[in-house]
Protein backbone atom coordinates (compact mmCIF):
# COMPACT_ATOMS: atom_id res chain seq x y z
CA UNK A 1 0.00 0.00 0.00
CA UNK A 2 2.94 2.34 0.54
CA UNK A 3 5.31 3.03 -2.32
CA UNK A 4 8.50 4.61 -1.04
CA UNK A 5 9.81 7.42 -3.25
CA UNK A 6 13.56 7.51 -3.69
CA UNK A 7 13.59 11.14 -4.78
CA UNK A 8 16.74 12.74 -3.41
CA UNK A 9 15.66 16.40 -3.51
CA UNK A 10 16.10 17.36 0.12
CA UNK A 11 16.09 21.15 -0.15
CA UNK A 12 12.31 21.24 0.51
CA UNK A 13 11.08 21.72 4.06
CA UNK A 14 9.80 18.38 5.44
CA UNK A 15 6.38 19.96 6.10
CA UNK A 16 5.93 20.62 2.37
CA UNK A 17 7.18 17.36 0.90
CA UNK A 18 3.84 15.53 0.70
CA UNK A 19 0.19 16.54 1.08
CA UNK A 20 -0.56 14.70 4.30
CA UNK A 21 1.99 16.70 6.29
CA UNK A 22 0.58 20.25 6.17
CA UNK A 23 -3.06 19.24 5.90
CA UNK A 24 -3.10 16.68 8.69
CA UNK A 25 -1.36 19.22 10.90
CA UNK A 26 -3.88 21.88 9.84
CA UNK A 27 -6.77 19.47 10.44
CA UNK A 28 -5.63 18.80 13.99
CA UNK A 29 -5.28 22.51 14.68
CA UNK A 30 -8.68 23.51 13.28
CA UNK A 31 -10.39 20.65 15.12
CA UNK A 32 -9.14 22.21 18.37
CA UNK A 33 -9.52 25.89 17.50
CA UNK A 34 -12.98 25.68 15.92
CA UNK A 35 -14.33 23.66 18.86
CA UNK A 36 -12.92 26.20 21.31
CA UNK A 37 -14.69 28.92 19.33
CA UNK A 38 -17.88 26.84 19.27
CA UNK A 39 -17.74 26.62 23.08
CA UNK A 40 -17.84 30.43 23.12
CA UNK A 41 -20.53 30.81 20.46
CA UNK A 42 -22.80 27.97 21.59
CA UNK A 43 -24.15 29.01 25.02
CA UNK A 44 -25.50 32.37 23.82
CA UNK A 45 -25.43 31.67 20.05
CA UNK A 46 -23.48 34.86 19.46
CA UNK A 47 -24.10 35.96 15.89
CA UNK A 48 -21.12 35.64 13.58
CA UNK A 49 -20.73 38.10 10.72
CA UNK A 50 -22.69 36.81 7.71
CA UNK A 51 -23.43 33.37 9.14
CA UNK A 52 -25.67 31.74 11.68
CA UNK A 53 -23.26 30.26 14.28
CA UNK A 54 -24.74 26.77 13.83
CA UNK A 55 -24.14 27.01 10.08
CA UNK A 56 -20.60 28.27 10.74
CA UNK A 57 -19.97 25.29 13.05
CA UNK A 58 -21.20 22.84 10.40
CA UNK A 59 -19.18 24.64 7.72
CA UNK A 60 -15.93 24.38 9.67
CA UNK A 61 -16.43 20.69 10.47
CA UNK A 62 -17.12 19.86 6.81
CA UNK A 63 -15.21 22.35 4.67
CA UNK A 64 -12.34 23.11 7.04
CA UNK A 65 -11.63 19.94 9.05
CA UNK A 66 -12.98 17.07 6.94
CA UNK A 67 -11.99 18.64 3.62
CA UNK A 68 -8.41 19.25 4.79
CA UNK A 69 -8.08 15.63 5.91
CA UNK A 70 -9.53 14.45 2.59
CA UNK A 71 -7.18 16.61 0.52
CA UNK A 72 -4.13 15.61 2.56
CA UNK A 73 -5.01 11.92 2.27
CA UNK A 74 -5.81 12.00 -1.46
CA UNK A 75 -2.74 14.05 -2.43
CA UNK A 76 -0.71 11.36 -0.73
CA UNK A 77 -2.74 8.39 -2.01
CA UNK A 78 -2.89 9.58 -5.64
CA UNK A 79 0.89 9.61 -5.71
CA UNK A 80 0.88 5.96 -4.58
CA UNK A 81 -1.84 4.96 -7.03
CA UNK A 82 -0.15 6.53 -10.05
CA UNK A 83 3.55 6.76 -9.26
CA UNK A 84 3.37 10.43 -10.26
CA UNK A 85 4.63 13.10 -7.86
CA UNK A 86 1.81 15.26 -6.51
CA UNK A 87 2.33 18.94 -5.67
CA UNK A 88 4.90 19.82 -3.04
CA UNK A 89 7.01 22.76 -1.85
CA UNK A 90 5.64 26.18 -2.99
CA UNK A 91 2.51 24.91 -4.80
CA UNK A 92 1.60 22.89 -1.70
CA UNK A 93 2.25 25.93 0.49
CA UNK A 94 -0.01 28.03 -1.75
CA UNK A 95 -2.80 25.47 -1.39
CA UNK A 96 -2.36 25.51 2.39
CA UNK A 97 -2.54 29.33 2.45
CA UNK A 98 -5.80 29.20 0.48
CA UNK A 99 -7.20 26.89 3.17
CA UNK A 100 -5.96 29.19 5.95
CA UNK A 101 -7.53 32.23 4.28
CA UNK A 102 -10.88 30.48 4.35
CA UNK A 103 -10.92 30.36 8.12
CA UNK A 104 -11.70 34.07 8.48
CA UNK A 105 -15.43 33.80 7.77
CA UNK A 106 -16.47 34.97 11.27
CA UNK A 107 -14.32 38.07 10.98
CA UNK A 108 -15.18 39.50 7.55
CA UNK A 109 -17.90 42.07 6.95
CA UNK A 110 -20.53 41.53 4.28
CA UNK A 111 -18.83 43.87 1.80
CA UNK A 112 -15.75 41.58 1.80
CA UNK A 113 -17.67 38.29 1.93
CA UNK A 114 -17.44 37.74 -1.82
CA UNK A 115 -13.61 37.80 -1.61
CA UNK A 116 -13.74 35.38 1.31
CA UNK A 117 -16.00 33.13 -0.77
CA UNK A 118 -13.62 33.15 -3.75
CA UNK A 119 -10.60 32.31 -1.59
CA UNK A 120 -12.32 29.61 0.43
CA UNK A 121 -13.96 27.83 -2.50
CA UNK A 122 -10.73 28.06 -4.52
CA UNK A 123 -9.10 25.69 -2.03
CA UNK A 124 -11.30 22.73 -3.00
CA UNK A 125 -11.26 23.63 -6.70
CA UNK A 126 -7.45 23.71 -6.91
CA UNK A 127 -7.16 20.66 -4.62
CA UNK A 128 -9.42 18.72 -6.97
CA UNK A 129 -7.24 19.68 -9.93
CA UNK A 130 -4.06 18.71 -8.05
CA UNK A 131 -5.51 15.30 -7.13
CA UNK A 132 -7.11 14.67 -10.52
CA UNK A 133 -4.02 15.50 -12.62
CA UNK A 134 -1.90 12.42 -11.75
CA UNK A 135 -4.96 10.15 -11.86
CA UNK A 136 -5.91 11.33 -15.36
CA UNK A 137 -2.31 11.43 -16.59
CA UNK A 138 -1.74 7.84 -15.46
CA UNK A 139 -5.18 6.79 -16.82
CA UNK A 140 -5.97 5.46 -13.36
CA UNK A 141 -9.68 5.26 -14.18
CA UNK A 142 -10.53 3.17 -11.08
CA UNK A 143 -10.22 6.33 -9.00
CA UNK A 144 -12.08 8.76 -11.26
CA UNK A 145 -15.19 8.37 -9.05
CA UNK A 146 -13.20 9.93 -6.21
CA UNK A 147 -12.42 12.93 -8.40
CA UNK A 148 -16.12 13.20 -9.27
CA UNK A 149 -17.00 13.35 -5.57
CA UNK A 150 -14.41 16.10 -5.05
CA UNK A 151 -15.97 18.09 -7.90
CA UNK A 152 -19.38 17.76 -6.21
CA UNK A 153 -17.82 18.75 -2.89
CA UNK A 154 -16.55 21.93 -4.56
CA UNK A 155 -20.06 22.55 -5.92
CA UNK A 156 -21.49 22.10 -2.41
CA UNK A 157 -19.07 24.67 -1.05
CA UNK A 158 -19.98 27.14 -3.78
CA UNK A 159 -23.68 26.58 -2.98
CA UNK A 160 -22.99 27.39 0.68
CA UNK A 161 -21.50 30.78 -0.20
CA UNK A 162 -24.15 31.55 -2.81
CA UNK A 163 -26.68 31.02 -0.04
CA UNK A 164 -24.69 33.19 2.36
CA UNK A 165 -24.60 35.93 -0.27
CA UNK A 166 -28.39 35.61 -0.75
CA UNK A 167 -27.97 34.55 -4.37
CA UNK A 168 -29.37 31.00 -4.04
CA UNK A 169 -32.37 30.34 -1.82
CA UNK A 170 -31.49 27.69 0.82
CA UNK A 171 -27.98 27.55 -0.61
CA UNK A 172 -26.43 27.36 2.87
CA UNK A 173 -28.60 24.35 3.78
CA UNK A 174 -28.02 22.56 0.47
CA UNK A 175 -24.28 23.23 0.60
CA UNK A 176 -23.83 21.98 4.14
CA UNK A 177 -25.80 18.77 3.77
CA UNK A 178 -24.51 17.94 0.29
CA UNK A 179 -20.95 18.41 1.58
CA UNK A 180 -21.70 16.38 4.71
CA UNK A 181 -23.07 13.38 2.84
CA UNK A 182 -20.36 13.53 0.18
CA UNK A 183 -17.71 13.23 2.91
CA UNK A 184 -19.58 10.20 4.32
CA UNK A 185 -19.80 8.72 0.82
CA UNK A 186 -16.03 9.10 0.37
CA UNK A 187 -15.39 7.41 3.71
CA UNK A 188 -17.63 4.49 2.86
CA UNK A 189 -15.85 4.10 -0.49
CA UNK A 190 -12.39 4.15 1.10
CA UNK A 191 -13.44 1.92 4.01
CA UNK A 192 -14.68 -0.76 1.64
CA UNK A 193 -11.19 -0.90 0.15
CA UNK A 194 -9.07 -0.37 3.23
CA UNK A 195 -10.81 -1.60 6.40
CA UNK A 196 -10.82 -5.35 5.59
CA UNK A 197 -7.29 -5.05 4.18
CA UNK A 198 -6.04 -3.32 7.33
CA UNK A 199 -7.63 -5.99 9.54
CA UNK A 200 -6.17 -8.83 7.47
CA UNK A 201 -2.69 -7.31 7.51
CA UNK A 202 -2.82 -6.03 11.07
CA UNK A 203 -3.85 -9.39 12.51
CA UNK A 204 -1.84 -11.52 10.08
CA UNK A 205 -4.92 -13.38 8.88
CA UNK A 206 -4.32 -16.09 6.29
CA UNK A 207 -7.79 -15.76 4.75
CA UNK A 208 -9.49 -12.76 3.20
CA UNK A 209 -12.41 -11.20 5.03
CA UNK A 210 -15.71 -11.52 3.22
CA UNK A 211 -16.57 -8.71 0.83
CA UNK A 212 -19.73 -8.67 -1.26
CA UNK A 213 -19.61 -6.71 -4.52
CA UNK A 214 -23.42 -6.86 -4.64
CA UNK A 215 -23.71 -5.22 -1.20
CA UNK A 216 -21.10 -2.62 -2.18
CA UNK A 217 -23.00 -1.58 -5.30
CA UNK A 218 -26.36 -1.72 -3.53
CA UNK A 219 -25.14 0.45 -0.67
CA UNK A 220 -23.69 2.93 -3.19
CA UNK A 221 -26.98 3.40 -5.04
CA UNK A 222 -29.08 3.36 -1.87
CA UNK A 223 -26.88 6.04 -0.29
CA UNK A 224 -27.19 8.19 -3.41
CA UNK A 225 -30.97 7.83 -3.14
CA UNK A 226 -30.89 8.58 0.58
CA UNK A 227 -28.76 11.68 0.04
CA UNK A 228 -31.10 13.09 -2.61
CA UNK A 229 -34.25 12.23 -0.64
CA UNK A 230 -32.92 13.64 2.62
CA UNK A 231 -31.55 16.90 1.21
CA UNK A 232 -34.32 17.80 -1.21
CA UNK A 233 -37.50 15.99 -0.13
CA UNK A 234 -37.33 14.72 3.49
CA UNK A 235 -40.10 12.15 3.10
CA UNK A 236 -40.61 8.66 4.51
CA UNK A 237 -38.56 7.40 1.55
CA UNK A 238 -35.37 8.70 3.19
CA UNK A 239 -36.23 6.73 6.37
CA UNK A 240 -36.84 3.55 4.36
CA UNK A 241 -33.53 3.95 2.54
CA UNK A 242 -31.75 4.67 5.85
CA UNK A 243 -33.19 1.43 7.26
CA UNK A 244 -31.88 -0.57 4.31
CA UNK A 245 -28.47 1.09 4.61
CA UNK A 246 -28.36 0.29 8.32
CA UNK A 247 -28.95 -3.40 7.52
CA UNK A 248 -26.38 -3.53 4.71
CA UNK A 249 -23.61 -1.81 6.66
CA UNK A 250 -24.37 -3.95 9.73
CA UNK A 251 -23.82 -7.05 7.55
CA UNK A 252 -20.51 -5.59 6.39
CA UNK A 253 -19.46 -4.95 9.98
CA UNK A 254 -20.34 -8.55 10.86
CA UNK A 255 -18.32 -9.89 7.91
CA UNK A 256 -15.28 -7.81 8.84
CA UNK A 257 -15.35 -8.39 12.59
CA UNK A 258 -12.50 -10.18 14.36
CA UNK A 259 -12.02 -10.14 18.12
CA UNK A 260 -8.32 -9.41 17.62
CA UNK A 261 -9.02 -5.84 16.51
CA UNK A 262 -9.49 -4.68 20.11
CA UNK A 263 -5.78 -5.22 20.76
CA UNK A 264 -4.83 -2.89 17.89
CA UNK A 265 -5.75 0.81 18.28
CA UNK A 266 -5.38 1.51 14.55
CA UNK A 267 -7.90 -1.27 13.86
CA UNK A 268 -10.53 -0.87 16.56
CA UNK A 269 -10.70 2.89 16.04
CA UNK A 270 -11.52 2.72 12.33
CA UNK A 271 -13.90 -0.22 12.91
CA UNK A 272 -15.71 1.66 15.67
CA UNK A 273 -15.92 4.72 13.40
CA UNK A 274 -17.74 2.55 10.85
CA UNK A 275 -20.08 1.50 13.67
CA UNK A 276 -20.84 5.17 14.44
CA UNK A 277 -21.63 5.82 10.76
CA UNK A 278 -23.87 2.76 10.59
CA UNK A 279 -25.59 3.71 13.83
CA UNK A 280 -26.35 7.10 12.26
CA UNK A 281 -28.71 5.34 9.85
CA UNK A 282 -30.31 3.42 12.70
CA UNK A 283 -30.90 6.56 14.77
CA UNK A 284 -32.30 8.33 11.71
CA UNK A 285 -34.87 5.56 11.31
CA UNK A 286 -35.65 5.56 15.05
CA UNK A 287 -36.36 9.31 14.92
CA UNK A 288 -39.36 8.58 12.69
CA UNK A 289 -41.01 6.44 15.38
CA UNK A 290 -39.94 8.11 18.61
CA UNK A 291 -39.33 11.68 19.72
CA UNK A 292 -35.57 12.23 19.90
CA UNK A 293 -33.30 15.18 20.60
CA UNK A 294 -32.52 17.18 17.43
CA UNK A 295 -29.55 16.15 15.27
CA UNK A 296 -28.77 12.94 17.16
CA UNK A 297 -28.32 10.91 13.96
CA UNK A 298 -26.38 13.79 12.37
CA UNK A 299 -23.91 13.78 15.25
CA UNK A 300 -23.56 10.00 15.08
CA UNK A 301 -22.51 10.45 11.44
CA UNK A 302 -20.28 13.37 12.45
CA UNK A 303 -18.42 11.39 15.09
CA UNK A 304 -18.05 8.53 12.62
CA UNK A 305 -16.34 11.00 10.27
CA UNK A 306 -14.17 12.36 13.10
CA UNK A 307 -13.01 9.00 14.46
CA UNK A 308 -12.39 7.51 11.02
CA UNK A 309 -10.39 10.51 9.82
CA UNK A 310 -8.41 10.63 13.07
CA UNK A 311 -7.60 6.94 12.70
CA UNK A 312 -6.61 7.35 9.05
CA UNK A 313 -4.42 10.36 9.85
CA UNK A 314 -2.71 8.38 12.61
CA UNK A 315 -2.01 5.44 10.31
CA UNK A 316 -1.01 7.34 7.15
CA UNK A 317 1.30 9.64 9.11
CA UNK A 318 3.21 6.70 10.54
CA UNK A 319 3.59 4.91 7.21
CA UNK A 320 4.60 7.95 5.21
CA UNK A 321 7.17 9.16 7.71
CA UNK A 322 8.91 5.78 7.53
CA UNK A 323 7.54 4.40 10.79
CA UNK A 324 6.04 0.98 11.43
CA UNK A 325 2.22 1.07 11.28
CA UNK A 326 2.13 -2.26 13.10
CA UNK A 327 3.91 -0.75 16.09
CA UNK A 328 2.27 2.65 16.62
CA UNK A 329 2.97 4.80 19.68
CA UNK A 330 1.11 3.35 22.66
CA UNK A 331 -0.24 6.81 23.52
CA UNK A 332 -2.57 6.86 20.50
CA UNK A 333 -5.07 4.66 22.34
CA UNK A 334 -5.91 7.63 24.54
CA UNK A 335 -6.92 9.96 21.71
CA UNK A 336 -9.25 7.34 20.25
CA UNK A 337 -10.77 6.63 23.66
CA UNK A 338 -11.32 10.34 24.34
CA UNK A 339 -13.08 10.86 21.00
CA UNK A 340 -15.20 7.74 21.54
CA UNK A 341 -16.24 9.09 24.96
CA UNK A 342 -17.15 12.38 23.28
CA UNK A 343 -19.49 10.38 21.02
CA UNK A 344 -21.01 8.55 23.99
CA UNK A 345 -21.61 11.87 25.75
CA UNK A 346 -22.93 13.84 22.75
CA UNK A 347 -25.08 11.13 21.17
CA UNK A 348 -26.00 8.42 23.67
CA UNK A 349 -26.11 10.24 27.01
CA UNK A 350 -27.83 13.29 25.52
CA UNK A 351 -30.54 10.94 24.21
CA UNK A 352 -30.99 9.28 27.61
CA UNK A 353 -30.62 12.34 29.85
CA UNK A 354 -31.89 15.34 27.86
CA UNK A 355 -32.39 17.28 31.10
CA UNK A 356 -28.58 17.51 31.37
CA UNK A 357 -28.17 18.62 27.75
CA UNK A 358 -25.99 21.70 28.32
CA UNK A 359 -23.61 19.89 30.72
CA UNK A 360 -23.26 16.92 28.39
CA UNK A 361 -22.58 19.13 25.37
CA UNK A 362 -19.87 20.97 27.30
CA UNK A 363 -18.33 17.66 28.42
CA UNK A 364 -18.35 16.34 24.87
CA UNK A 365 -16.65 19.49 23.61
CA UNK A 366 -13.90 19.13 26.21
CA UNK A 367 -13.36 15.48 25.28
CA UNK A 368 -13.16 16.39 21.58
CA UNK A 369 -10.58 19.10 22.26
CA UNK A 370 -8.57 16.73 24.46
CA UNK A 371 -8.56 14.01 21.78
CA UNK A 372 -7.26 16.29 19.02
CA UNK A 373 -4.84 18.03 21.36
CA UNK A 374 -3.33 14.63 22.09
CA UNK A 375 -3.12 13.94 18.34
CA UNK A 376 -1.35 17.26 17.81
CA UNK A 377 1.05 16.52 20.66
CA UNK A 378 2.02 13.08 19.33
CA UNK A 379 2.06 13.72 15.59
CA UNK A 380 3.09 17.36 15.04
CA UNK A 381 6.83 16.57 15.40
CA UNK A 382 6.46 13.91 12.67
CA UNK A 383 5.00 16.45 10.23
CA UNK A 384 7.89 18.88 10.69
CA UNK A 385 10.72 16.33 10.59
CA UNK A 386 12.11 14.35 7.69
CA UNK A 387 11.25 10.67 7.25
CA UNK A 388 13.12 8.46 9.70
CA UNK A 389 14.39 6.30 6.81
CA UNK A 390 15.98 9.32 5.14
CA UNK A 391 13.82 9.23 2.03
CA UNK A 392 11.93 12.11 0.44
CA UNK A 393 8.24 12.40 1.26
Amino acid sequence: MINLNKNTQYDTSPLLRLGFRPFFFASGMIAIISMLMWMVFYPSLILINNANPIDWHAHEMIFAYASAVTVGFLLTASKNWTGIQTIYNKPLLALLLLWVSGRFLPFVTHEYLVYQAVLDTSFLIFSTLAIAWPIIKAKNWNNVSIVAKLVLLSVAHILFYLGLLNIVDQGVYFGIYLGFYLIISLLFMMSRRLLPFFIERGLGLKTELKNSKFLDLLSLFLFLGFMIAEIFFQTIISHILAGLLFIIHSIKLFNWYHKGIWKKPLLWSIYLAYVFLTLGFGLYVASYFINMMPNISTHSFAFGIALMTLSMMARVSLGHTGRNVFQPPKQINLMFILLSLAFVTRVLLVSIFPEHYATLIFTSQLLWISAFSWFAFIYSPMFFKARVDGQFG
Side-chain angles (χ1 to χ4, degrees):
M1 294 297 293
I2 298 173
N3 299 325
L4 298 178
N5 189 334
K6 295 184 179 180
N7 191 328
T8 56
Q9 299 178 29
Y10 294 102
D11 55 337
T12 303
S13 166
L15 183 68
L16 300 175
R17 291 181 183 178
L18 202 52
F20 80 94
R21 289 177 175 271
F23 286 111
F24 285 4
F25 174 72
S27 299
M29 292 297 101
I30 200 60
I32 299 166
I33 295 168
S34 64
M35 191 58 70
L36 284 169
M37 292 176 68
W38 182 230
M39 291 177 76
V40 175
F41 298 147
Y42 180 78
S44 58
L45 289 183
I46 300 170
L47 288 179
I48 302 170
N49 280 338
N50 312 301
N52 178 299
I54 295 175
D55 293 336
W56 168 83
H57 172 59
H59 175 269
E60 291 304 284
M61 291 297 102
I62 299 164
F63 296 110
Y65 170 75
S67 292
V69 177
T70 301
V71 169
F73 176 82
L74 291 177
L75 281 173
T76 305
S78 59
K79 178 186 174 183
N80 282 356
W81 297 334
T82 64
I84 297 173
Q85 177 68 51
T86 50
I87 62 170
Y88 66 101
N89 206 7
K90 290 181 180 179
L92 185 57
L93 176 60
L95 199 61
L96 177 65
L97 291 177
L98 272 179
W99 179 88
V100 171
S101 69
R103 309 286 59 81
F104 292 98
L105 174 61
F107 313 110
V108 297
T109 58
H110 194 273
E111 60 184 298
Y112 295 111
L113 183 58
V114 66
Y115 302 110
Q116 164 74 11
V118 170
L119 287 170
D120 202 13
T121 55
S122 294
F123 164 68
L124 273 175
I125 293 170
F126 285 116
S127 295
T128 301
L129 292 173
I131 293 163
W133 169 247
I135 290 174
I136 294 171
K137 186 177 181 180
K139 299 181 180 180
N140 186 239
W141 307 127
N142 288 338
N143 292 304
V144 167
S145 58
I146 291 176
V147 176
K149 284 183 169 62
L150 288 175
V151 170
L152 289 174
L153 192 62
S154 301
V155 170
H157 204 190
I158 292 170
L159 272 175
F160 172 85
Y161 274 105
L162 290 176
L164 214 57
L165 290 163
N166 298 316
I167 297 173
V168 173
D169 189 35
Q170 288 191 291
V172 170
Y173 170 82
F174 291 143
I176 285 174
Y177 278 93
L178 180 59
F180 184 60
Y181 289 125
L182 283 168
I183 291 292
I184 294 173
S185 177
L186 275 168
L187 291 180
F188 276 136
M189 177 184 288
M190 300 307 297
S191 298
R192 187 269 170 204
R193 302 180 184 188
L194 299 177
L195 182 52
F197 175 81
F198 287 165
I199 293 173
E200 291 161 7
R201 289 286 304 276
L203 300 180
L205 303 181
K206 296 181 180 179
T207 57
E208 289 187 8
L209 295 173
K210 187 176 180 181
N211 240 335
S212 168
K213 190 172 183 179
F214 171 74
L215 288 181
D216 285 339
L217 290 174
L218 185 59
S219 64
L220 174 67
F221 287 111
L222 287 176
F223 187 79
L224 176 61
F226 168 77
M227 185 168 65
I228 294 171
E230 167 63 5
I231 295 173
F232 299 104
F233 302 105
Q234 294 185 339
T235 65
I236 191 174
I237 294 174
S238 57
H239 290 85
I240 294 171
L241 293 173
L244 293 172
L245 286 163
F246 175 74
I247 294 169
I248 290 171
H249 287 295
S250 295
I251 293 171
K252 288 186 174 186
L253 284 166
F254 178 79
N255 289 339
W256 296 339
Y257 181 76
H258 190 287
K259 64 181 180 180
I261 64 173
W262 303 108
K263 297 178 182 179
K264 307 280 187 176
L266 290 177
L267 296 182
W268 72 254
S269 57
I270 193 171
Y271 185 89
L272 189 60
Y274 204 103
V275 171
F276 293 170
L277 291 172
T278 302
L279 183 60
F281 293 118
L283 290 170
Y284 184 86
V285 174
S287 68
Y288 183 80
F289 298 99
I290 59 176
N291 187 26
M292 301 181 69
M293 294 293 292
N295 299 318
I296 289 297
S297 62
T298 300
H299 279 89
S300 185
F301 286 131
F303 274 100
I305 293 172
L307 185 57
M308 188 168 289
T309 50
L310 184 63
S311 178
M312 291 301 297
M313 286 194 292
R315 185 183 184 94
V316 169
S317 299
L318 291 174
H320 284 277
T321 56
R323 293 170 172 81
N324 188 347
V325 297
F326 300 114
Q327 294 180 342
K330 293 181 180 179
Q331 307 97 308
I332 66 171
N333 248 322
L334 179 59
M335 67 187 188
F336 297 140
I337 291 171
L338 288 169
L339 194 56
S340 300
L341 289 175
F343 163 83
V344 170
T345 306
R346 178 61 183 86
V347 177
L348 302 183
L349 294 184
V350 162
S351 301
I352 299 170
F353 305 107
E355 66 274 17
H356 299 297
Y357 185 84
T359 301
L360 291 170
I361 295 296
F362 179 74
T363 303
S364 180
Q365 290 168 333
L366 287 178
L367 288 166
W368 171 288
I369 291 168
S370 299
F372 281 96
S373 296
W374 196 235
F375 167 77
F377 175 76
I378 297 171
Y379 280 90
S380 291
M382 299 183 196
F383 300 140
F384 287 87
K385 293 180 181 178
R387 287 179 59 115
V388 295
D389 57 11
Q391 298 196 45
F392 185 87

